[in-house]
Coordinates of all heavy atoms in Angstrom, one line a residue:
M1 N 0.8 -1.3 0.0 CA -0.1 -0.1 0.0 C 0.9 1.3 0.0 O 1.9 1.3 0.8 CB -0.9 -0.1 1.3 CG -1.8 1.1 1.4 SD -3.0 0.7 2.6 CE -3.4 2.3 3.2
P2 N 0.6 2.3 -0.9 CA 1.4 3.4 -1.0 C 1.3 4.3 0.4 O 0.1 4.3 0.8 CB 1.0 4.1 -2.3 CG -0.2 3.4 -2.6 CD -0.4 2.2 -1.9
S3 N 2.3 4.9 0.6 CA 2.3 6.0 1.7 C 1.5 7.1 1.3 O 1.6 7.7 0.3 CB 3.8 6.2 2.2 OG 3.8 7.3 3.1
L4 N 0.7 7.6 2.3 CA -0.1 8.8 2.1 C 0.7 10.1 2.5 O 0.2 11.2 2.2 CB -1.4 8.7 3.0 CG -2.4 7.6 2.7 CD1 -3.6 7.6 3.7 CD2 -2.8 7.7 1.2
S5 N 1.7 9.9 3.3 CA 2.4 11.1 3.5 C 3.3 11.6 2.2 O 3.8 10.7 1.5 CB 3.4 10.9 4.8 OG 4.4 9.8 4.4
R6 N 3.5 12.8 2.2 CA 4.3 13.4 1.1 C 5.0 14.6 1.6 O 4.4 15.3 2.5 CB 3.5 13.5 -0.3 CG 2.3 14.5 0.0 CD 1.4 14.7 -1.1 NE 0.3 15.4 -0.7 CZ -0.6 15.9 -1.4 NH1 -0.4 15.8 -2.7 NH2 -1.6 16.7 -1.0
N7 N 6.0 15.0 0.8 CA 6.6 16.3 1.1 C 5.8 17.4 0.6 O 5.5 17.5 -0.6 CB 8.1 16.3 0.6 CG 8.9 15.3 1.3 OD1 8.8 14.9 2.4 ND2 10.0 14.8 0.6
V8 N 5.5 18.2 1.4 CA 4.8 19.5 1.0 C 5.8 20.6 0.8 O 6.4 20.9 1.8 CB 3.5 19.9 2.0 CG1 2.9 21.1 1.6 CG2 2.7 18.8 2.1
A9 N 5.9 21.2 -0.4 CA 6.9 22.4 -0.7 C 6.3 23.6 0.2 O 5.1 23.8 0.3 CB 7.0 22.6 -2.1
T10 N 7.2 24.2 0.7 CA 6.8 25.5 1.5 C 7.7 26.6 1.1 O 8.8 26.4 0.4 CB 7.0 25.3 2.9 OG1 8.4 24.9 3.3 CG2 6.0 24.2 3.5
A11 N 7.3 27.8 1.5 CA 8.1 29.0 1.2 C 8.6 29.7 2.4 O 8.1 29.4 3.5 CB 7.2 30.0 0.4
T12 N 9.6 30.4 2.3 CA 10.1 31.2 3.5 C 10.1 32.7 3.1 O 10.4 33.2 2.0 CB 11.7 30.9 3.7 OG1 11.9 29.5 4.0 CG2 12.3 31.8 4.7
V13 N 9.5 33.4 4.1 CA 9.1 34.8 4.0 C 10.1 35.5 5.0 O 10.2 35.3 6.0 CB 7.7 35.2 4.3 CG1 7.4 36.6 4.1 CG2 6.7 34.3 3.3
S14 N 10.7 36.5 4.4 CA 11.6 37.3 5.2 C 11.6 38.8 4.9 O 11.2 39.2 3.7 CB 13.0 36.9 5.3 OG 13.5 36.9 4.0
G15 N 11.8 39.7 5.8 CA 11.8 41.1 5.4 C 12.0 42.0 6.7 O 12.5 41.5 7.7
A16 N 11.7 43.2 6.6 CA 12.1 44.2 7.5 C 10.8 44.9 8.1 O 9.9 45.0 7.2 CB 12.9 45.3 7.0
L17 N 10.6 45.1 9.3 CA 9.6 45.9 9.9 C 10.1 47.3 10.3 O 11.0 47.3 11.1 CB 9.1 45.2 11.1 CG 8.0 45.9 11.9 CD1 6.6 45.7 11.0 CD2 7.7 45.3 13.2
R18 N 9.6 48.2 9.7 CA 10.2 49.6 9.8 C 9.2 50.7 10.1 O 8.1 50.5 9.9 CB 10.8 50.0 8.5 CG 11.8 49.2 7.9 CD 13.0 49.9 7.4 NE 14.0 49.0 6.7 CZ 15.0 48.2 7.4 NH1 15.0 48.2 8.6 NH2 15.7 47.4 6.7
C19 N 9.7 51.6 10.9 CA 8.8 52.8 11.3 C 9.7 54.0 11.5 O 10.8 53.8 11.7 CB 7.9 52.6 12.4 SG 8.7 52.8 14.1
P20 N 9.2 55.3 11.3 CA 10.1 56.4 11.3 C 10.5 56.7 12.9 O 11.5 57.3 13.1 CB 9.2 57.5 10.9 CG 7.8 56.9 10.4 CD 7.8 55.5 10.7
L21 N 9.7 56.1 13.9 CA 10.0 56.4 15.2 C 11.3 55.5 15.7 O 11.9 55.8 16.6 CB 8.9 56.0 16.0 CG 7.7 57.0 16.0 CD1 6.5 56.4 16.9 CD2 7.9 58.4 16.2
H22 N 11.5 54.4 14.9 CA 12.6 53.4 15.3 C 13.5 53.2 14.1 O 13.2 52.1 13.6 CB 12.0 52.1 15.9 CG 11.0 52.5 17.0 ND1 9.7 52.5 16.9 CD2 11.3 52.7 18.3 CE1 9.0 52.8 18.1 NE2 10.0 53.0 18.9
P23 N 14.5 54.1 13.9 CA 15.2 53.7 12.5 C 16.1 52.6 12.7 O 16.4 52.1 11.7 CB 16.0 55.1 12.5 CG 16.0 55.7 13.8 CD 14.7 55.2 14.4
D24 N 16.4 52.2 13.9 CA 17.2 50.9 14.0 C 16.4 49.6 14.0 O 16.9 48.6 14.1 CB 18.0 51.0 15.2 CG 19.0 52.0 15.3 OD1 19.5 52.4 14.2 OD2 19.3 52.5 16.4
G25 N 15.1 49.7 13.9 CA 14.2 48.6 13.8 C 13.3 48.4 15.0 O 13.7 48.8 16.1
C26 N 12.0 48.2 14.9 CA 11.1 47.9 15.8 C 11.3 46.5 16.4 O 11.5 45.6 15.6 CB 9.7 48.0 15.4 SG 9.2 49.7 14.9
E27 N 11.2 46.4 17.7 CA 11.0 45.0 18.4 C 9.5 44.7 18.5 O 8.8 45.4 18.9 CB 11.7 45.0 19.7 CG 13.1 45.4 19.8 CD 14.0 44.4 19.1 OE1 13.8 43.2 19.1 OE2 15.0 44.9 18.4
A28 N 9.3 43.6 17.8 CA 7.8 43.3 17.6 C 7.6 41.8 17.4 O 8.7 41.0 17.4 CB 7.2 44.1 16.3
W29 N 6.4 41.4 17.2 CA 6.0 40.0 16.7 C 5.1 40.2 15.4 O 4.4 41.0 15.3 CB 5.2 39.4 17.8 CG 6.1 38.9 19.1 CD1 6.3 39.7 20.2 CD2 6.7 37.7 19.3 NE1 7.0 39.0 21.1 CE2 7.3 37.8 20.5 CE3 6.8 36.6 18.5 CZ2 8.1 36.7 21.0 CZ3 7.7 35.5 18.8 CH2 8.3 35.6 20.2
I30 N 5.4 39.1 14.7 CA 4.6 38.9 13.5 C 3.8 37.7 13.7 O 4.3 36.5 14.0 CB 5.4 38.8 12.1 CG1 6.4 40.0 11.9 CG2 4.4 38.6 11.0 CD1 5.7 41.3 11.7
T31 N 2.4 37.8 13.6 CA 1.6 36.7 13.8 C 1.0 36.3 12.4 O 0.5 37.3 11.8 CB 0.3 36.9 14.7 OG1 0.9 37.3 16.1 CG2 -0.6 35.7 15.0
V32 N 1.1 35.1 12.0 CA 0.6 34.7 10.7 C -0.7 34.0 10.9 O -0.7 33.0 11.6 CB 1.7 33.7 10.0 CG1 1.1 33.3 8.7 CG2 3.0 34.4 10.0
V33 N -1.7 34.3 10.3 CA -3.1 33.9 10.1 C -3.4 33.3 8.8 O -3.3 34.0 7.9 CB -4.1 34.9 10.7 CG1 -5.5 34.4 10.6 CG2 -3.8 35.6 12.0
A34 N -3.8 31.9 8.7 CA -4.1 31.5 7.6 C -5.4 31.9 7.0 O -6.2 32.6 7.6 CB -4.1 29.8 7.8
D35 N -5.7 31.5 5.6 CA -6.9 32.1 5.0 C -8.3 31.7 5.7 O -9.2 32.3 5.4 CB -6.8 31.7 3.5 CG -7.0 30.1 3.3 OD1 -6.7 29.4 4.3 OD2 -6.9 29.8 2.2
R36 N -8.3 30.7 6.6 CA -9.4 30.3 7.2 C -9.5 30.8 8.6 O -10.4 30.4 9.5 CB -9.6 28.8 7.2 CG -9.8 28.3 5.9 CD -10.5 27.0 5.9 NE -10.8 26.6 4.4 CZ -10.9 25.5 4.0 NH1 -10.7 24.4 4.8 NH2 -11.3 25.2 2.8
G37 N -8.8 31.8 9.0 CA -8.8 32.6 10.3 C -8.0 31.8 11.4 O -8.0 32.3 12.5
N38 N -7.2 30.7 11.1 CA -6.5 30.0 12.2 C -5.0 30.5 12.3 O -4.4 30.8 11.2 CB -6.4 28.5 11.7 CG -7.7 27.8 11.7 OD1 -8.7 28.2 12.5 ND2 -7.9 26.9 10.8
R39 N -4.7 30.8 13.4 CA -3.3 31.3 13.7 C -2.4 30.2 13.2 O -2.5 29.0 13.7 CB -3.1 31.5 15.2 CG -1.7 32.3 15.3 CD -1.6 32.8 16.8 NE -0.6 31.9 17.5 CZ -0.4 32.1 18.7 NH1 -0.9 33.1 19.3 NH2 0.6 31.3 19.2
W40 N -1.4 30.5 12.4 CA -0.4 29.6 11.8 C 0.8 29.4 12.5 O 1.2 28.4 12.9 CB -0.2 29.9 10.4 CG 0.6 29.0 9.6 CD1 1.9 29.0 9.5 CD2 0.2 27.8 8.9 NE1 2.3 28.0 8.7 CE2 1.2 27.3 8.2 CE3 -1.1 27.3 8.6 CZ2 1.2 26.2 7.5 CZ3 -1.1 26.1 7.8 CH2 0.0 25.6 7.3
T41 N 1.3 30.7 12.8 CA 2.7 30.7 13.6 C 2.9 32.1 14.0 O 2.2 33.0 13.6 CB 3.8 30.1 12.7 OG1 5.0 30.0 13.4 CG2 4.2 31.1 11.5
Q42 N 4.0 32.3 14.7 CA 4.5 33.6 15.1 C 5.9 33.8 14.9 O 6.7 32.7 15.0 CB 4.3 33.9 16.5 CG 2.9 34.6 17.0 CD 2.9 34.9 18.3 OE1 3.3 34.3 19.2 NE2 2.3 36.2 18.7
A43 N 6.4 34.9 14.6 CA 7.9 35.2 14.4 C 8.2 36.3 15.1 O 7.5 37.4 15.1 CB 8.3 35.3 13.0
R44 N 9.4 36.4 15.7 CA 9.9 37.6 16.6 C 10.6 38.5 15.6 O 11.3 38.0 14.7 CB 10.7 37.1 17.7 CG 11.1 38.3 18.5 CD 11.9 37.8 19.8 NE 12.3 38.9 20.5 CZ 12.9 38.9 21.5 NH1 13.6 37.8 21.9 NH2 13.4 40.1 22.2
V45 N 10.4 39.7 15.6 CA 11.0 40.7 14.8 C 12.2 41.2 15.8 O 12.0 41.7 16.9 CB 10.2 42.0 14.5 CG1 11.0 42.9 13.7 CG2 9.0 41.5 13.8
E46 N 13.5 41.1 15.2 CA 14.7 41.5 16.1 C 15.5 42.3 15.1 O 15.8 42.0 14.0 CB 15.4 40.2 16.4 CG 14.8 39.2 17.4 CD 15.6 38.1 17.9 OE1 16.6 38.5 18.6 OE2 15.3 37.0 17.7
N47 N 15.8 43.5 15.8 CA 16.7 44.6 15.0 C 15.9 45.0 13.7 O 16.7 45.3 12.7 CB 18.1 44.0 14.8 CG 18.8 43.8 16.0 OD1 18.7 44.6 16.9 ND2 19.5 42.6 16.2
G48 N 14.7 44.8 13.8 CA 13.9 45.3 12.5 C 13.7 44.2 11.5 O 13.1 44.4 10.5
L49 N 14.2 42.9 11.7 CA 14.1 42.0 10.8 C 13.3 40.7 11.1 O 13.3 40.4 12.4 CB 15.5 41.4 10.3 CG 16.4 42.5 9.7 CD1 17.8 42.0 9.6 CD2 15.8 43.0 8.6
Y50 N 12.7 40.0 10.3 CA 12.0 38.8 10.7 C 12.1 37.7 9.6 O 12.5 38.0 8.5 CB 10.5 39.1 10.9 CG 9.6 39.4 9.6 CD1 8.9 38.4 9.0 CD2 9.7 40.6 9.1 CE1 8.2 38.6 7.9 CE2 8.9 40.9 8.0 CZ 8.2 39.7 7.4 OH 7.5 40.0 6.2
Q51 N 11.8 36.4 9.9 CA 11.7 35.4 8.9 C 10.7 34.4 9.4 O 10.6 34.0 10.6 CB 13.2 34.6 8.9 CG 13.0 33.6 7.8 CD 14.5 32.9 7.7 OE1 15.0 32.4 8.7 NE2 15.0 33.1 6.5
I52 N 9.9 33.9 8.4 CA 8.8 33.0 8.6 C 8.9 31.8 7.7 O 9.1 32.1 6.5 CB 7.4 33.7 8.4 CG1 7.2 34.8 9.3 CG2 6.3 32.6 8.5 CD1 6.0 35.7 8.9
T53 N 9.1 30.6 8.3 CA 9.4 29.6 7.4 C 8.2 28.6 7.3 O 7.3 28.7 8.3 CB 10.6 28.6 7.9 OG1 10.2 28.2 9.2 CG2 11.8 29.6 7.7
G54 N 7.9 27.7 6.3 CA 7.0 26.7 6.2 C 5.6 27.1 5.8 O 4.7 26.5 6.1
L55 N 5.6 28.2 5.0 CA 4.2 28.6 4.5 C 4.1 27.9 3.2 O 4.7 27.9 2.2 CB 4.2 30.1 4.2 CG 4.4 31.0 5.5 CD1 4.2 32.5 5.1 CD2 3.3 30.6 6.5
S56 N 2.8 27.1 3.1 CA 2.5 26.6 1.8 C 1.8 27.5 1.0 O 1.4 28.7 1.4 CB 1.6 25.4 2.1 OG 0.5 25.6 2.9
R57 N 1.4 27.1 -0.2 CA 0.7 28.1 -1.1 C -0.7 28.5 -0.4 O -1.4 27.7 0.2 CB 0.4 27.5 -2.5 CG 1.5 27.2 -3.3 CD 1.2 26.5 -4.6 NE 0.0 26.9 -5.1 CZ -0.6 26.6 -6.3 NH1 0.0 25.6 -7.0 NH2 -1.7 27.1 -6.7
G58 N -1.1 29.8 -0.7 CA -2.2 30.3 -0.2 C -2.1 31.6 0.3 O -1.0 32.3 0.2
G59 N -3.2 32.1 0.9 CA -3.3 33.6 1.5 C -3.2 33.6 2.9 O -3.6 32.7 3.7
Y60 N -2.5 34.7 3.4 CA -2.2 34.7 4.8 C -2.4 36.1 5.2 O -2.1 37.1 4.4 CB -0.8 34.3 5.2 CG -0.5 32.9 4.9 CD1 0.0 32.4 3.6 CD2 -0.7 31.8 5.8 CE1 0.3 31.2 3.3 CE2 -0.4 30.5 5.6 CZ 0.0 30.0 4.2 OH 0.3 28.9 4.1
T61 N -2.7 36.3 6.4 CA -2.7 37.7 6.9 C -1.5 37.8 8.0 O -1.4 37.0 8.8 CB -4.0 38.1 7.8 OG1 -5.1 38.0 6.8 CG2 -3.9 39.4 8.3
L62 N -0.7 38.8 7.8 CA 0.5 39.1 8.7 C 0.1 40.3 9.6 O -0.3 41.4 9.2 CB 1.7 39.5 7.9 CG 2.2 38.5 6.8 CD1 3.5 38.9 6.3 CD2 2.4 37.1 7.3
I63 N 0.2 39.9 10.9 CA -0.2 41.0 11.9 C 1.0 41.3 12.7 O 1.5 40.5 13.4 CB -1.3 40.4 12.9 CG1 -2.6 40.0 12.1 CG2 -1.8 41.5 13.8 CD1 -3.6 39.3 12.8
A64 N 1.3 42.6 12.5 CA 2.7 43.2 13.3 C 2.1 43.8 14.6 O 1.2 44.5 14.5 CB 3.4 44.1 12.5
S65 N 2.7 43.3 15.7 CA 2.2 44.0 16.9 C 3.6 44.3 17.7 O 4.5 43.6 17.8 CB 1.3 43.1 17.7 OG 1.9 41.8 17.9
A66 N 3.5 45.5 18.2 CA 4.7 46.0 19.0 C 4.0 46.9 20.1 O 3.0 47.5 20.0 CB 5.6 46.9 18.1
A67 N 4.9 47.0 21.2 CA 4.4 47.9 22.3 C 4.2 49.3 22.0 O 3.3 50.0 22.5 CB 5.4 47.9 23.5
Q68 N 4.9 49.9 21.0 CA 4.9 51.3 20.6 C 3.9 51.5 19.5 O 3.7 52.7 19.0 CB 6.2 51.8 20.1 CG 7.3 51.6 21.1 CD 8.0 50.2 21.1 OE1 7.6 49.4 20.3 NE2 8.9 50.0 22.0
H69 N 3.1 50.4 19.0 CA 2.4 50.6 17.8 C 1.0 49.9 18.0 O 0.9 48.8 18.6 CB 2.9 50.2 16.6 CG 4.2 50.8 16.2 ND1 4.3 52.1 15.6 CD2 5.5 50.6 16.4 CE1 5.5 52.5 15.4 NE2 6.3 51.5 15.9
A70 N 0.0 50.4 17.3 CA -1.3 49.6 17.3 C -1.0 48.4 16.4 O -0.1 48.5 15.5 CB -2.4 50.4 16.8
P71 N -1.8 47.2 16.5 CA -1.5 46.1 15.6 C -1.8 46.6 14.2 O -2.7 47.4 13.9 CB -2.5 45.1 16.1 CG -2.8 45.4 17.5 CD -2.7 46.9 17.6
Y72 N -1.0 46.0 13.2 CA -1.2 46.4 11.8 C -1.2 45.0 11.0 O -0.4 44.3 11.3 CB 0.0 47.2 11.4 CG 0.0 47.5 9.9 CD1 -0.9 48.4 9.4 CD2 0.9 47.1 9.2 CE1 -0.8 48.7 8.1 CE2 1.1 47.1 7.7 CZ 0.1 48.0 7.3 OH 0.2 48.4 5.9
A73 N -2.1 45.0 10.1 CA -2.3 43.7 9.4 C -2.1 44.0 7.8 O -2.5 45.0 7.2 CB -3.7 43.1 9.6
E74 N -1.4 43.1 7.1 CA -1.2 43.1 5.8 C -1.5 41.7 5.1 O -1.2 40.7 5.9 CB 0.2 43.4 5.3 CG 0.5 44.9 5.5 CD 1.8 45.2 4.9 OE1 2.5 44.3 4.3 OE2 2.2 46.4 4.9
F75 N -2.1 41.7 4.0 CA -2.3 40.4 3.2 C -1.0 39.9 2.4 O -0.4 40.7 1.9 CB -3.5 40.5 2.2 CG -3.8 39.3 1.6 CD1 -4.4 38.2 2.2 CD2 -3.4 39.0 0.2 CE1 -4.7 37.0 1.5 CE2 -3.7 37.9 -0.4 CZ -4.3 36.8 0.2
L76 N -0.8 38.5 2.5 CA 0.5 38.0 1.8 C -0.1 36.8 1.0 O -0.7 36.0 1.6 CB 1.5 37.6 2.7 CG 2.7 36.9 2.1 CD1 3.6 37.8 1.3 CD2 3.5 36.1 3.2
L77 N 0.1 36.7 -0.2 CA -0.2 35.6 -1.0 C 0.9 34.9 -1.5 O 1.9 35.5 -2.1 CB -0.9 36.1 -2.3 CG -1.3 35.0 -3.4 CD1 -2.3 34.0 -2.7 CD2 -1.9 35.5 -4.6
V78 N 1.1 33.6 -1.0 CA 2.1 32.8 -1.5 C 1.7 31.9 -2.6 O 0.9 31.1 -2.5 CB 2.5 31.7 -0.2 CG1 3.5 30.8 -0.7 CG2 3.0 32.6 1.0
E79 N 2.2 32.3 -3.8 CA 1.8 31.8 -5.1 C 2.6 30.5 -5.4 O 2.0 29.5 -6.0 CB 2.0 32.8 -6.3 CG 1.1 33.9 -6.1 CD 1.2 34.9 -7.2 OE1 2.2 35.6 -7.1 OE2 0.3 34.9 -8.0
R80 N 3.9 30.4 -5.0 CA 4.6 29.3 -5.3 C 5.4 28.9 -4.1 O 6.1 29.7 -3.4 CB 5.6 29.4 -6.5 CG 4.9 29.6 -7.8 CD 6.0 29.8 -8.9 NE 6.4 31.3 -8.8 CZ 7.5 31.8 -9.4 NH1 8.1 31.0 -10.1 NH2 7.7 32.9 -9.2
A81 N 5.5 27.5 -3.7 CA 6.3 27.1 -2.7 C 7.7 26.9 -3.2 O 8.0 27.1 -4.3 CB 5.7 25.8 -2.1
R82 N 8.5 26.4 -2.2 CA 10.0 26.4 -2.4 C 10.5 27.6 -3.0 O 11.1 27.7 -4.1 CB 10.3 25.1 -3.5 CG 9.9 23.8 -3.0 CD 10.4 22.7 -4.0 NE 9.7 21.5 -3.5 CZ 10.2 20.4 -3.3 NH1 11.6 20.4 -3.3 NH2 9.6 19.3 -2.8
R83 N 10.3 28.7 -2.3 CA 10.6 29.9 -2.8 C 10.9 30.8 -1.7 O 10.4 30.7 -0.6 CB 9.4 30.5 -3.5 CG 9.7 31.8 -4.2 CD 8.5 32.2 -5.0 NE 8.8 33.6 -5.7 CZ 7.8 34.4 -5.8 NH1 6.6 34.3 -5.4 NH2 8.2 35.7 -6.2
E84 N 11.8 31.8 -1.9 CA 12.2 32.8 -0.9 C 11.3 34.0 -1.3 O 11.5 34.5 -2.4 CB 13.6 33.2 -1.0 CG 14.6 32.0 -0.6 CD 14.5 31.7 0.8 OE1 14.5 32.7 1.7 OE2 14.6 30.5 1.3
I85 N 10.6 34.6 -0.3 CA 9.8 35.8 -0.7 C 10.2 37.0 0.3 O 10.3 36.7 1.5 CB 8.3 35.5 -0.2 CG1 7.7 34.2 -1.2 CG2 7.4 36.7 -0.5 CD1 6.4 33.7 -0.8
S86 N 10.4 38.1 -0.3 CA 10.8 39.3 0.5 C 9.5 40.1 0.7 O 8.9 40.5 -0.2 CB 11.8 40.0 -0.3 OG 12.1 41.2 0.4
H87 N 9.2 40.4 1.9 CA 8.1 41.2 2.2 C 8.3 42.2 3.4 O 8.4 41.8 4.5 CB 6.9 40.3 2.6 CG 5.5 41.0 2.8 ND1 4.8 41.3 1.7 CD2 4.9 41.4 3.8 CE1 3.7 41.9 2.3 NE2 3.8 42.0 3.5
D88 N 8.7 43.5 3.0 CA 8.8 44.4 4.0 C 7.5 45.0 4.6 O 6.4 45.1 3.7 CB 9.7 45.6 3.4 CG 11.2 45.1 3.3 OD1 11.5 44.0 3.8 OD2 11.8 45.8 2.5
I89 N 7.5 45.4 5.9 CA 6.1 46.0 6.4 C 6.6 47.4 7.0 O 7.7 47.5 7.8 CB 5.5 45.1 7.5 CG1 5.3 43.7 7.0 CG2 4.5 45.8 8.2 CD1 5.0 42.7 8.1
A90 N 5.8 48.4 6.6 CA 6.0 49.8 7.1 C 5.0 50.2 8.1 O 3.8 50.1 7.7 CB 6.1 50.8 6.0
L91 N 5.4 50.5 9.3 CA 4.3 51.0 10.3 C 4.3 52.5 10.4 O 5.3 53.1 10.1 CB 4.7 50.3 11.7 CG 4.8 49.0 11.9 CD1 5.3 48.6 13.3 CD2 3.5 48.3 11.6
D92 N 3.1 52.9 10.4 CA 2.8 54.3 10.6 C 2.6 54.6 12.0 O 1.6 54.0 12.7 CB 1.7 54.8 9.8 CG 1.2 56.2 9.8 OD1 1.8 56.9 10.6 OD2 0.4 56.5 8.9
P93 N 3.3 55.6 12.7 CA 3.2 55.9 14.0 C 1.8 56.4 14.4 O 1.4 56.4 15.5 CB 4.4 56.8 14.4 CG 4.9 57.4 13.2 CD 4.4 56.3 12.0
A94 N 1.2 57.0 13.4 CA -0.2 57.5 13.7 C -1.2 56.4 13.9 O -2.2 56.7 14.4 CB -0.5 58.4 12.6
R95 N -0.9 55.2 13.4 CA -2.0 54.2 13.6 C -2.0 53.7 15.1 O -1.0 53.5 15.7 CB -1.6 53.0 12.7 CG -1.8 53.3 11.4 CD -1.5 52.1 10.4 NE -0.8 52.6 9.4 CZ -0.5 51.8 8.4 NH1 -0.6 50.6 8.2 NH2 0.2 52.2 7.4

């Protein structure tokens, strides 16, 4: 009987989280929510940089949260797996 498990290709998303108040980078968290509203994973932003691994094809909402900012959400579409994706996030201090 053939095995039902298979390798699922995934993408790695990395980028910068920037705002005018913190030119050296904001310390924050990025929460990844899958297209059906389920929390997928979290990544810590250190020195303004983050990396998320293991995203399969589909749509995700990235929610940036930091002590100095209101939460901010952006949509990310992963069209192809086995890919490196660059996705920077700019925070507005007025939000």
Side-chain angles (χ1 to χ4, degrees):
M1 183 166 150
S3 171
L4 295 178
S5 66
R6 59 183 172 169
N7 291 336
V8 176
T10 60
T12 297
V13 178
S14 58
L17 178 72
R18 306 228 187 272
C19 81
L21 297 178
H22 305 98
D24 294 330
C26 292
E27 299 296 321
W29 286 91
I30 305 290
T31 301
V32 181
V33 179
D35 59 357
R36 294 204 170 148
N38 297 323
R39 188 171 109 176
W40 185 266
T41 191
Q42 269 190 322
R44 185 170 179 192
V45 179
E46 296 186 57
N47 299 317
L49 302 174
Y50 74 93
Q51 184 177 61
I52 301 163
T53 59
L55 296 181
S56 56
R57 288 179 43 180
Y60 298 90
T61 301
L62 304 182
I63 303 168
S65 56
Q68 303 85 0
H69 299 281
Y72 174 72
E74 285 190 359
F75 180 74
L76 174 71
L77 179 62
V78 176
E79 295 181 280
R80 290 181 284 167
R82 294 185 194 237
R83 184 172 178 219
E84 299 285 325
I85 299 170
S86 177
H87 185 83
D88 292 342
I89 300 171
L91 296 179
D92 181 348
R95 287 185 226 181

